[in-house]
Amino acid sequence: MKIEKKKDNNQYRINEQIRAKEVRIVGDDGSTVVPLRQALDMARDRDEDLVLISPNAEPPVCRIIDYSKFLYQQKKKAKELKQKQVKVEVKEIRFGPQTDEHDYNFKLKHAQEFLTEGNKVRAHVFFRGRSILFKEQGEVLLLRFANDLEECGKVEQMPKLEGKKMFLMLAPKKAGVAKKSQQKIDRERREAEAKESKATENKEAEETPVNGLAANAKGFSALADLKFDEE
């Protein structure tokens, strides 16, 4: 059996630290219930350790493994998991209560990029002096902002006034098929109808000269027939 390790509060009980009359040993070939002393002898014969992995089971569940190797693998997995975790940052977007359309669209584009990259967005409207009287405008602006970002972000905190600032918190949506808002659906429908209407007008404009020539030709033919009848 391996040299007895000093128990760490964050680790498992092993070998003589286990207190039970009998234990269930699990392995690749199944499980078996044996007295604790027999389990310790089995671990000694394999030059490994008896590790308690489920102390609340009845009887407690153990594995016979190389504890040092087991700890190394656990630490390695934890390190790999930590490296894979994406660090989420909170990006700030600042508005005024009367932000113009160009500035709004510029900041909207940046917010879309931030959310797509997996970052959170904390948008706020800052009220200077008497502009606090327009706090309703600020709330409408932030709600519009959240709606325009619905495909890539979800609201974590609705607009909330704190001092002279009104905040809105957005978090990135998970990858997948984004659900369109009703406003976006209506807007796309109106754009499609306008495009179709314009195409129809262009077609009619292109056909007008042809129709005019045809009408002139018909009129000329009628005039010729009339002269022939008179003769």
Side-chain angles (χ1 to χ4, degrees):
M1 185 180 295
K2 300 285 185 178
I3 299 174
E4 187 71 24
K5 286 92 175 173
K6 185 177 180 180
K7 180 179 177 293
D8 188 317
N9 292 331
N10 296 323
Q11 303 300 339
Y12 301 88
R13 287 181 177 273
I14 63 172
N15 301 329
E16 302 298 339
Q17 295 169 352
I18 300 172
R19 299 287 183 266
K21 291 183 178 180
E22 60 181 14
V23 295
R24 180 182 297 275
I25 299 177
V26 295
D28 297 335
D29 54 350
S31 67
T32 181
V33 177
V34 298
L36 175 61
R37 178 49 54 188
Q38 182 179 342
L40 290 170
D41 291 340
M42 292 168 63
R44 184 182 297 106
D45 292 341
R46 299 184 190 179
D47 196 26
E48 293 181 332
D49 300 288
L50 184 68
V51 181
L52 181 62
I53 60 173
S54 185
N56 296 324
E58 189 62 41
V61 179
C62 297
R63 288 185 68 95
I64 297 177
I65 52 177
D66 185 327
Y67 189 58
S68 297
K69 185 177 180 180
F70 172 74
L71 288 182
Y72 171 76
Q73 291 174 340
Q74 291 290 94
K75 290 179 181 179
K76 185 178 179 181
K77 287 180 181 179
K79 185 177 179 181
E80 290 175 352
L81 183 62
K82 187 176 181 180
Q83 289 176 343
K84 289 180 181 179
Q85 290 177 342
V86 178
K87 185 179 180 182
V88 178
E89 296 183 9
V90 178
K91 302 291 186 178
E92 293 280 345
I93 299 289
R94 175 176 172 173
F95 293 103
Q98 296 178 323
T99 299
D100 61 46
E101 194 68 15
H102 179 269
D103 190 33
Y104 173 84
N105 289 327
F106 178 76
K107 292 177 179 179
L108 178 67
K109 182 179 179 181
H110 277 290
Q112 289 171 334
E113 292 174 355
F114 294 149
L115 291 168
T116 302
E117 292 170 356
N119 299 306
K120 291 187 177 183
V121 171
R122 189 169 184 253
H124 72 270
V125 179
F126 181 70
F127 301 97
R128 284 194 180 92
R130 295 178 62 83
S131 67
I132 192 68
L133 297 173
F134 301 101
K135 62 181 181 180
E136 289 80 9
Q137 280 183 251
E139 184 176 6
V140 170
L141 175 66
L142 291 177
L143 289 174
R144 176 192 173 190
F145 190 64
N147 184 70
D148 288 342
L149 293 168
E150 188 177 19
E151 291 189 19
C152 55
K154 59 183 178 181
V155 177
E156 274 196 346
Q157 178 188 305
M158 293 296 286
K160 181 180 179 182
L161 185 64
E162 297 178 8
K164 293 184 178 181
K165 294 181 180 180
M166 182 175 286
F167 293 96
L168 169 75
M169 181 66 79
L170 296 167
K173 275 188 175 180
K174 292 182 179 179
V177 179
K179 183 180 179 181
K180 293 183 181 179
S181 65
Q182 187 59 46
Q183 291 89 340
K184 186 172 181 63
I185 293 173
D186 293 340
R187 184 169 66 249
E188 290 180 349
R189 177 177 54 78
R190 289 194 298 269
E191 290 173 353
E193 289 175 352
K195 187 176 181 180
E196 184 178 352
S197 177
K198 187 174 181 180
T200 302
E201 291 175 2
N202 292 338
K203 184 177 181 181
E204 290 176 351
E206 291 174 358
E207 293 176 350
T208 298
V210 177
N211 293 337
L213 290 173
N216 291 338
K218 185 177 181 180
F220 179 77
S221 177
L223 181 60
D225 292 341
L226 179 61
K227 288 182 177 181
F228 180 78
D229 291 341
E230 289 176 351
E231 293 176 354

